[in-house]
Structure formats: structure tokens, C-alpha cells
Amino acid sequence: MSEARFKKIISHAKEYGFVFPSSEIYDGLSAVYDYGQNGVELKNNIKNYWWASMVQIHENIVGVDAAIFMHPTVWKASGHVDAFSDPMIDNRDSKKRYRADVLIEDYLAKIEGKIEKEVAKGHKRFGADFNEEQFRSTHPNVLRNKEKIDAVNQRMKNALDENNLADLKKLIEDLEIACPVSGSKSWTEVRQFNLMFETEMGSLAEEASAVYLRPETAQGIFVNFLNVQKTSRLKIPFGIAQIGKAFRNEIVARQFLFRMKEFEQMEMQYFVKPGTEMEWYDYWKEQRMNWHKQMGFSEKKYRLHDHLKLAHYANAACDIDFEFPIGFKELEGIHSRTNFDLASHEKFSGKKLQYFDSEENKSYVPYVVETSIGLDRTFLAVISESYCEEKLEDGSTRTVLKIPPFLTPVKAAVFPLVKKDGLPEKAKEIMDKLKFDFNCSYEEKDTIGKRYRRQDAIGTPFCITVDHQTLEDNTVTIRERDSMKQERIPTEKIAGILEEKVSLKKVLTC
Ligand code: ATP
């Protein structure tokens, strides 16, 4: 856990036009953020990567873009009106509100940290002879801490399953969990708090009826299941994907893009024959993990984490957790949602939401395997993992975002060495050729060194410098972000190099 690093990343994101607090001139709005000129590019590139991986390359997956407002009965049928709440607890001294289960999970993460410290000590002591597996399964301190984790997890699961809020509070007291702000252990009762934002639709007060801002995008897919199936003539198994905004009145909201009140989800619902859902659940678990790994960050940063408490609709569920600067936390959820949603919408709408299976010669309500990832959390994962402060040979430091090249906001920056002698015109000519295929930027202010640093800070993989020699032999210097190596190449080779190094196609086909 690195608070200091997290703070640096947040201020870097602001300073370089990635993320701004919403309505900042009015002191901001808690847990709401705007994306700036570089942020929107990175975000769009992540969306494109997801869309291409899920929709474009799968013949049996199509997309939709459903409205944010939906008929209020949708949220009755989905269970959100009755059950979309978090168990909250307040600290009497700091007056801060927390999610009770998150307080307990943070406590468990600390014990997990102790285990990892013990293992690291073992590594140091025994060097190359260290047998980590044996150590983990025999060392008394590790075993004791593991037992503790299991016991607490079991108590938490029981309390959550039975919705026993008093037990949840007792667990917090028994573990002597203190408020991270005040250090006090004076807690209120645990209460359930619904996360949906409610507003009114209708011009006259008497006509007005309550509608919700959708808390997830999935329901827009379920209510369109028949429309899409009939008009696309897709055969099961098939998927419907969507990228869109979701809204949750999150109370614990001091975690930057990790927990926002307005955020974007990228979800895919895969409709399968009942009884085959576990096969598809395993399939999508693997596919989605590969999607993350193809970004090229360390595999150690990802963990699969099975859910102890299953949501009301699921018969299996897991998260792909990522090691954010605030610790390992959920980045994506993969859920086997049974036929809960479609069956429930059948009941509430009175419409048949079934699929006629011509091979079986019968109709059934399909089962659903869902993959649901937060776009903003993925953005946070990418910038957190990319952020580097490097000591250079001359003693200076550079801050560089080592964003995977296919995701960077700018693919190439084009510089004239000086602002005269026809160099700006030549640089613009090069830029004009590249800009239809790649997002490029042109800069002529400051020294080349300063311009390199600015591009490093936003992750630009290539900088192209036009100098006097360019006018003679039509060659430029191309400088690569990570190695900082410079090479002289003919201008006609630039596009090919960019195509090779920054293309999404390469990632999709490997
Ligand atoms: P958490 O337990 O962290 O609240 P969740 O299990 O409620 O998350 P889901 O309902 O499974 O989340 O939503 C799917 C994905 O949407 C999550 O994996 C996460 O990436 C993203 N997400 C959920 N809530 C938020 C939020 N408040 N801010 C940003 N992203 C979110």
C-alpha cells in the first residue's frame, strides 16, 4: 500500500491533462471526475481495446447502447430496489462512514501482508534453496495467520449471507478494528444503505414518477435480449456487449477513480444453454485474464478471487483483482448469473423472454455468464502501473508513463529542432501525413530535452525530430520512450514503425 505514490499519480494525472476533479472552480464534487485532453484519449483507447476484443473479433457477440433511464419496474425485477445496498457503519468520533465489509477486508489485507513479509524473510534467509510452497504450508506464523484469515472470512460470510448486521458489528468489535481517521473504536450499528440515485420524470408534479439512474449497464442488455436475438438471428451461445455510464451513491468515496459516483462499465452478457454455464464461466475467466495480461504489466499484479458471498442472482462468481497503489482490489467481475434476470423480467413484464433451440426442439430461458469491468478502474490500473520515476545517468530524474503503446493518448510527437529555416513547415508536413492514422502532436516550444520530458510524462512512445539534415536527405531522428534511444531513419519509414509498434491489431492477434 503506498499512499504517497497514489497521491503522486493523482497529481500527475491532473497536471498532465488526464483527470480533473469535477466542477473544480466550485471546489469539486465528491467522487466525481472529468477526463481531460489526454485522459479522454487513453479512455477511448481502452474502450476500443475492449470493444475490439469482445465484439469485433467475435462473430457471435454484438453491441448495444441502451438508455440510462429505464422503466422503474426494471429495478424491481432485477432486485436493486430491495437488495442493492451496502452495510454501512459510522465512527462516532470522526463521523466518517465506512462499508462494514470493506473495514473487515482491509483488516484481512494487513494479516495477508504479515504472511508476505514472513515469506520475504524466508527468501532472504534461504536464498536459492528456498522452497516457498513448503514454507507456506509449514511455517507456524504463516499457518496461524492463514487460519485467522479463514476464520474471519467465514464469520463475515455467515453474517452477510444471513444479513445479520449485529454480527457484522460484533465482528468489527471483536477484531478491535479502529477508524483509520480517528483511531477510535466507537462504532454505530451497521445499517443497509441503498446505492441507487432516484429522480423524477414527468413535467407536472402529479404526473411525476420516480426513475433511477441505472446502477449497472447489464439490465439494458437483458431487456433488449429478445429484440437483439430476433433481429440478429444469433444462435445460442451468443453475447451482447455494452459500454456505458452507471451511477451509484457510494458513501466511501476517497479513492479517486477507484470508487466514483458516476462511472463507466464495459459489460458483456453471454447467453448459454442451461447446464453449460460452468463451462462458459471458466472460458470467460480465462479469456478476460488474458485480455488484462496482453497489456504487458507484471502478471503478479493480477489475482483471481472467488466470491465468498454470492449475489442474489449468481451460482458462481469471481473477481479479477489488481494491485492498485491502495492494495489488491476488484477490477473486473465474472459472474454466472443463472437465468435470474431474464426469468424475473418475464415475471414482471408478462412477456416471454425465451429462446427456441431448434436442435433441442424446445424453448428455454437462457442462462447468462457476465463479464463486467470498470472502465475508470482499468484507466486507474493503467496509469498507476505505468507511472515511473527514473534516475538518469546525468543525475536528473524523469517521470515517464510507460503506458502500453497501443493505449497511449499520443502515438508520436513531431518537433522541428528550431522554429526557423523551414523546419516547422517540414515537421508539419510529416505530421499531416501521419495524423489520419495516428493521434500525433506537434510541438515547437522549448528545448528538445524539455519537449521529450513533456511527452514522456504523457506516455508518448515516439518523438520525431526534424533538423537541418532532414531538408537535405529527408531523414529524421526517432526517439523511443522507454530506452530513450535515438535513431536516424528516412521519413517514409515513420508510418511503418508506428504501425508495427502501436497497433491494436498486433495485440488482438497475438
Ligand atoms: P465493489 O465491490 O468494489 O463495490 P462491485 O462488486 O459492486 O464493486 P460490480 O457491481 O460487479 O462491482 O461492477 C462491475 C465493475 O464495475 C467492477 O468490477 C468495477 O470495476 C466497476 N465499478 C463498480 N463500482 C464502481 C465505482 N463506484 N466506481 C468505479 N468503478 C466501479
Side-chain angles (χ1 to χ4, degrees):
M1 175 127 155
S2 167
E3 274 296 323
R5 184 174 155 81
F6 196 40
K7 279 192 182 145
K8 274 188 192 170
I9 292 165
I10 296 170
S11 64
H12 187 88
K14 184 173 168 210
E15 191 180 341
Y16 286 92
F18 283 88
V19 183
F20 307 125
S22 157
S23 342
E24 199 188 4
I25 57 168
Y26 294 101
D27 296 332
L29 185 64
S30 139
V32 185
Y33 292 92
D34 296 340
Y35 287 86
Q37 68 279 17
N38 289 316
V40 69
E41 297 290 343
L42 172 56
K43 197 174 171 195
N44 283 342
N45 292 341
I46 296 172
K47 281 193 213 180
N48 287 342
Y49 174 37
W50 186 87
W51 195 264
S53 313
M54 302 300 277
V55 180
Q56 193 181 329
I57 67 173
H58 287 105
E59 266 176 52
N60 66 342
I61 302 180
V62 293
V64 292
D65 182 15
I68 286 168
F69 287 128
M70 302 184 76
H71 193 285
T73 312
V74 166
W75 306 110
K76 271 251 157 237
S78 67
H80 283 81
V81 170
D82 297 323
F84 192 56
S85 50
D86 279 340
M88 309 301 297
I89 190 166
D90 294 4
N91 183 270
R92 289 203 181 87
D93 296 307
S94 66
K95 309 269 183 270
K96 296 275 176 212
R97 183 166 289 176
Y98 300 91
R99 252 173 72 176
D101 53 335
V102 171
L103 275 183
I104 298 167
E105 274 166 11
D106 287 349
Y107 172 89
L108 291 176
K110 280 190 195 140
I111 306 184
E112 190 76 50
K114 283 188 190 163
I115 295 180
E116 295 313 313
K117 252 194 192 154
E118 200 72 61
V119 172
K121 265 205 270 175
H123 262 293
K124 221 173 169 183
R125 213 165 111 209
F126 300 109
D129 297 333
F130 185 58
N131 181 336
E132 184 174 327
E133 209 177 305
Q134 193 188 7
F135 186 86
R136 283 184 185 273
S137 57
T138 54
H139 193 281
N141 287 350
V142 173
L143 290 180
R144 203 182 46 248
N145 279 324
K146 258 199 205 145
E147 263 172 37
K148 204 165 171 184
I149 291 176
D150 290 345
V152 172
N153 260 330
Q154 193 56 49
R155 267 187 77 182
M156 178 163 75
K157 176 180 180 327
N158 292 347
L160 290 170
D161 281 350
E162 292 157 14
N163 199 22
N164 190 336
L165 303 181
D167 255 13
L168 212 52
K169 181 182 179 193
K170 179 96 181 30
L171 182 55
I172 290 173
E173 284 171 344
D174 290 351
L175 298 175
E176 299 189 354
I177 295 176
C179 166
V181 173
S182 65
S184 127
K185 292 174 196 155
S186 176
W187 297 106
T188 61
E189 298 307 308
V190 178
R191 279 163 300 152
Q192 291 289 5
F193 182 90
N194 196 298
L195 296 176
M196 282 200 293
F197 283 102
E198 196 177 319
T199 185
E200 281 182 355
M201 198 172 250
S203 48
L204 295 170
E206 57 270 28
E207 277 178 17
S209 60
V211 287
Y212 300 99
L213 297 186
R214 67 180 177 197
E216 62 173 28
T217 52
Q219 299 305 322
I221 290 178
F222 291 126
V223 299
N224 278 302
F225 159 74
L226 261 197
N227 284 339
V228 173
Q229 198 274 323
K230 280 190 176 154
T231 52
S232 65
R233 308 179 67 82
L234 282 163
K235 298 245 173 308
I236 264 176
F238 72 89
I240 306 179
Q242 174 167 222
I243 299 178
K245 292 258 181 175
F247 303 82
R248 296 182 186 178
N249 200 358
E250 303 270 12
I251 289 299
V252 184
R254 282 176 302 277
Q255 294 171 317
F256 192 43
L257 305 182
F258 183 80
R259 196 169 294 287
M260 301 155 85
K261 289 185 173 144
E262 173 178 345
F263 57 100
E264 260 179 281
Q265 291 185 315
M266 306 190 285
E267 294 199 306
M268 193 275 299
Q269 266 68 39
Y270 204 65
F271 298 90
V272 306
K273 193 164 135 183
T276 64
E277 70 275 12
M278 281 307 152
E279 207 178 293
W280 289 112
Y281 173 68
D282 289 338
Y283 172 83
W284 282 109
K285 241 160 110 167
E286 195 185 325
Q287 290 288 312
R288 294 304 304 147
M289 196 51 133
N290 286 343
W291 185 87
H292 289 280
K293 289 181 180 165
Q294 273 163 352
M295 283 191 256
F297 299 126
S298 162
E299 298 200 356
K300 286 194 187 143
K301 291 278 161 180
Y302 301 92
R303 267 192 204 161
L304 263 180
H305 158 208
D306 288 315
H307 279 202
L308 286 171
K309 179 183 187 266
L310 291 175
H312 57 277
Y313 50 74
N315 67 359
C318 69
D319 294 336
I320 295 176
D321 288 352
F322 181 79
E323 192 177 18
F324 291 96
I326 45 172
F328 267 103
K329 302 217 179 270
E330 174 177 343
L331 173 57
E332 171 157 11
I334 297 146
H335 313 125
S336 172
R337 283 178 88 122
T338 69
N339 64 2
F340 172 84
D341 300 86
L342 289 179
S344 184
H345 285 305
E346 271 201 329
K347 203 169 100 202
F348 277 82
S349 67
K351 308 275 175 3
K352 257 194 161 22
L353 297 179
Q354 304 200 351
Y355 171 82
F356 178 73
D357 190 325
S358 51
E359 277 169 27
E360 304 256 327
N361 201 26
K362 66 172 189 198
S363 293
Y364 52 75
V365 180
Y367 269 42
V368 170
V369 175
E370 148 184 283
T371 72
S372 173
I373 177 171
L375 173 56
D376 313 85
R377 282 191 194 174
T378 310
F379 183 109
L380 179 59
V382 170
I383 51 167
S384 314
E385 216 29 50
S386 303
Y387 181 89
C388 290
E389 285 171 12
E390 280 183 354
K391 264 242 168 309
L392 301 181
E393 277 173 13
D394 65 3
S396 65
T397 46
R398 71 161 182 160
T399 304
V400 49
L401 288 188
K402 295 190 173 175
I403 299 174
F406 71 100
L407 294 178
T408 55
V410 176
K411 305 301 182 205
V414 186
F415 310 148
L417 182 65
V418 288
K419 235 182 342 184
K420 56 182 184 186
D421 305 335
L423 299 188
E425 290 74 10
K426 180 69 187 169
K428 280 192 182 142
E429 186 191 308
I430 292 175
M431 162 104 183
D432 283 344
K433 278 196 192 134
L434 295 174
K435 73 182 181 193
F436 296 100
D437 292 312
F438 309 99
N439 196 32
C440 297
S441 112
Y442 172 84
E443 272 202 82
E444 55 181 27
K445 226 177 134 240
D446 294 325
T447 62
I448 287 287
K450 278 194 183 152
R451 285 182 255 172
Y452 281 160
R453 289 292 170 275
R454 277 204 293 272
Q455 295 299 327
D456 286 345
I458 64 166
T460 306
F462 294 101
C463 292
I464 292 151
T465 306
V466 169
D467 56 19
H468 292 93
Q469 194 182 327
T470 312
L471 302 181
E472 286 162 24
D473 63 6
N474 214 23
T475 61
V476 289
T477 312
I478 185 162
R479 180 247 195 201
E480 198 270 327
R481 178 191 71 196
D482 298 348
S483 63
M484 295 188 284
K485 277 210 182 102
Q486 298 180 23
E487 210 187 328
R488 191 126 205 135
I489 56 160
T491 50
E492 58 277 11
K493 279 199 169 169
I494 303 173
I497 292 178
L498 292 186
E499 188 57 47
E500 160 80 16
K501 304 283 188 195
V502 308
S503 98
L504 172 58
K505 186 173 167 188
K506 272 208 112 170
V507 180
L508 294 175
T509 48
C510 74

